[in-house]
């Protein structure tokens, strides 16, 4: 039997293996290395690119990782916040950890049918069905846009009120029902800054498992307007060039990818 990766979470913390040489990985085993309770469900996730199977499970008590199978008695397991795991795991493992977290979040929030209130049961690896009324549910994504606005050799950076640090990011917001991605970009920019923009250019997208998002990135050019911040969302904002940048987002985010691409090509 080929070993499987086991992505074990306690809330948003992930169990990783400390190899003792400044490298880290995910537990690889025939069976879950942590002894599970009867009610804890192991979910089957799409395999890694090399075909290695993937499983994920949520535990409630962090002390549970001290109760391990015999094969892991001498393995150093520790918790790592999912965001921080970006800097410790390979990129492929980090992305898979994000998907596992999203599935666990979805499982936790779909315990009961939204139509009749009956307990839901798993139907496929990524769907549930109500045994009473037949309602089916799948994991949902909250799609958001994010945009780097250019004005000559300057770009617009903003500090959102919900940012935990002092860094500046980009204008971003959720796509509303009934609008296109491009319409969402124009609307969010106008609502949050009072600016009009043009020449939208798709940059790329990124899964954002905090908790279940998809970020769609754009570049755009400034047209008109003075910065008028939506104070309920943003606390600071302004135009910056490469020589006077404030603290910018961490490398795991598409905001940083957009800024790095601008810096590399400006």
């Amino acid at each position: 039997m080929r070993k499987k990766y086991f992505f074990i979470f306690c809330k948003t913390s992930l169990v990783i293996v400390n190899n003792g040489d400044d490298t880290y990985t995910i537990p690889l085993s025939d069976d879950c290395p942590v002894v599970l309770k009867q009610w804890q469900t192991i979910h089957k996730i799409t395999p890694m690119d090399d075909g290695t199977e993937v499983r994920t499970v949520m535990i409630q008590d962090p002390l549970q990782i001290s109760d391990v199978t015999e094969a892991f008695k001498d393995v150093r397991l520790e918790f790592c916040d999912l965001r921080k795991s970006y800097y410790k795991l390979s990129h492929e493992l980090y992305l898979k950890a994000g998907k596992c977290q999203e599935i666990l979040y979805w499982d936790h929030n779909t315990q009961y049918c939204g139509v009749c209130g009956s307990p839901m049961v798993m139907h496929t690896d990524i769907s549930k069905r109500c045994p009473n009324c037949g309602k089916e549910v799948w994991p949902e994504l909250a799609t958001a846009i994010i945009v780097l606005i250019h004005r000559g050799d300057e770009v617009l950076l903003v500090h959102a009120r919900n940012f935990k640090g002092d860094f500046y990011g980009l204008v971003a917001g959720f796509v509303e029902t009934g609008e296109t991605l491009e319409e969402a970009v124009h609307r969010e920019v106008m609502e949050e800054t009072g600016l009009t923009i043009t020449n939208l250019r798709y940059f790329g997208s990124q899964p954002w498992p905090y908790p279940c998002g998809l970020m769609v990135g754009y570049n755009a050019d400034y047209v008109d307007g003075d910065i008028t911040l939506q104070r309920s969302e943003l606390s600071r904002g302004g135009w910056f060039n490469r020589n006077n940048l404030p603290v910018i987002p961490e490398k795991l985010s598409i905001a940083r990818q957009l800024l790095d691409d601008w810096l590399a090509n400006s």
Side-chain angles (χ1 to χ4, degrees), residues 8 14 31 111 135 154 182 225 235 242 244 256 265:
I8 305 164
L14 172 66
D31 301 300
Q111 295 295 305
K135 170 71 175 179
E154 298 176 313
E182 294 76 16
S235 59
R242 62 183 302 122
N244 72 337
R256 180 60 178 267
N265 294 286

Side-chain angles (χ1 to χ4, degrees), residues 40-60:
Q40 291 170 332
T41 302
I42 296 177
H43 293 267
K44 183 179 180 181
I45 308 297
T46 50
M48 306 296 290
D49 289 343
D50 65 1
T52 304
E53 292 188 22
V54 174
R55 302 290 186 270
T56 189
V57 64
M58 178 70 72
I59 61 176
Q60 284 73 42

Side-chain angles (χ1 to χ4, degrees), residues 112-118 133 135:
Y112 298 95
C113 178
V115 175
C116 70
S118 299
C133 70
K135 170 71 175 179

Side-chain angles (χ1 to χ4, degrees), residues 108 157 159 220 240:
H108 176 75
L157 299 178
H159 182 274
F240 297 87

Side-chain angles (χ1 to χ4, degrees), residues 185-229:
V185 176
H186 285 280
R187 175 184 53 76
E188 285 289 344
V189 171
M190 175 56 67
E191 287 178 355
E192 293 194 2
T193 68
L195 304 180
T196 56
I197 55 173
T198 190
N199 193 23
L200 265 61
R201 304 177 298 282
Y202 173 74
F203 175 80
S205 62
Q206 177 189 42
W208 193 245
Y210 305 106
C212 54
L214 175 68
M215 302 295 294
V216 184
Y218 286 89
N219 285 285
D221 295 329
Y222 166 82
V223 173
D224 189 38
D226 296 322
I227 298 174
T228 305
L229 297 179

Side-chain angles (χ1 to χ4, degrees), residues 153-155 239-246 262-263:
D153 64 352
E154 298 176 313
V155 294
W239 297 102
F240 297 87
N241 62 43
R242 62 183 302 122
N243 298 316
N244 72 337
L245 287 179
W262 165 65
L263 290 168

Side-chain angles (χ1 to χ4, degrees), residues 126-144:
I126 57 168
S127 71
K128 291 184 179 183
R129 176 179 288 173
C130 175
N132 183 52
C133 70
K135 170 71 175 179
E136 294 189 60
V137 295
W138 291 263
E140 295 183 354
L141 285 175
T143 305

Side-chain angles (χ1 to χ4, degrees), residues 14-198:
L14 172 66
V15 175
I16 60 175
V17 176
N18 186 332
N19 294 322
D21 56 358
D22 292 327
T23 64
Y24 301 83
T25 188
I26 295 297
L28 188 64
S29 178
D30 293 330
D31 301 300
C32 185
V34 173
V35 178
L36 299 177
K37 309 298 183 183
Q38 185 177 4
W39 61 85
Q40 291 170 332
T41 302
I42 296 177
H43 293 267
K44 183 179 180 181
I45 308 297
T46 50
M48 306 296 290
D49 289 343
D50 65 1
T52 304
E53 292 188 22
V54 174
R55 302 290 186 270
T56 189
V57 64
M58 178 70 72
I59 61 176
Q60 284 73 42
D61 186 350
L63 295 177
Q64 198 170 341
I65 68 165
S66 62
D67 187 11
V68 296
T69 59
E70 189 64 33
F72 278 76
K73 291 293 186 183
D74 297 320
V75 177
R76 184 176 172 184
L77 299 179
E78 59 187 53
F79 283 111
C80 180
D81 181 77
L82 179 58
R83 288 177 185 263
K84 297 292 192 300
S85 73
Y86 173 85
Y87 301 100
K88 293 186 176 183
L89 299 175
S90 70
H91 190 61
E92 185 182 14
L93 287 175
Y94 164 74
L95 289 176
K96 190 62 70 174
K99 178 164 185 172
C100 290
Q101 170 66 16
E102 292 192 71
I103 292 295
L104 293 171
Y105 177 84
W106 165 75
D107 179 45
H108 176 75
N109 286 282
T110 54
Q111 295 295 305
Y112 298 95
C113 178
V115 175
C116 70
S118 299
M120 299 291 281
V121 296
M122 294 297 296
H123 179 56
T124 69
D125 291 340
I126 57 168
S127 71
K128 291 184 179 183
R129 176 179 288 173
C130 175
N132 183 52
C133 70
K135 170 71 175 179
E136 294 189 60
V137 295
W138 291 263
E140 295 183 354
L141 285 175
T143 305
I145 57 82
I146 186 166
V147 56
L148 180 62
I149 302 170
H150 302 253
R151 187 181 72 172
D153 64 352
E154 298 176 313
V155 294
L156 179 68
L157 299 178
V158 295
H159 182 274
R161 291 192 176 277
N162 64 350
F163 286 173
K164 293 182 179 179
D166 197 39
F167 67 91
Y168 281 61
L170 310 184
V171 173
F174 290 108
V175 180
E176 295 183 355
T177 302
E179 69 180 355
T180 66
L181 296 172
E182 294 76 16
E183 288 170 342
V185 176
H186 285 280
R187 175 184 53 76
E188 285 289 344
V189 171
M190 175 56 67
E191 287 178 355
E192 293 194 2
T193 68
L195 304 180
T196 56
I197 55 173
T198 190

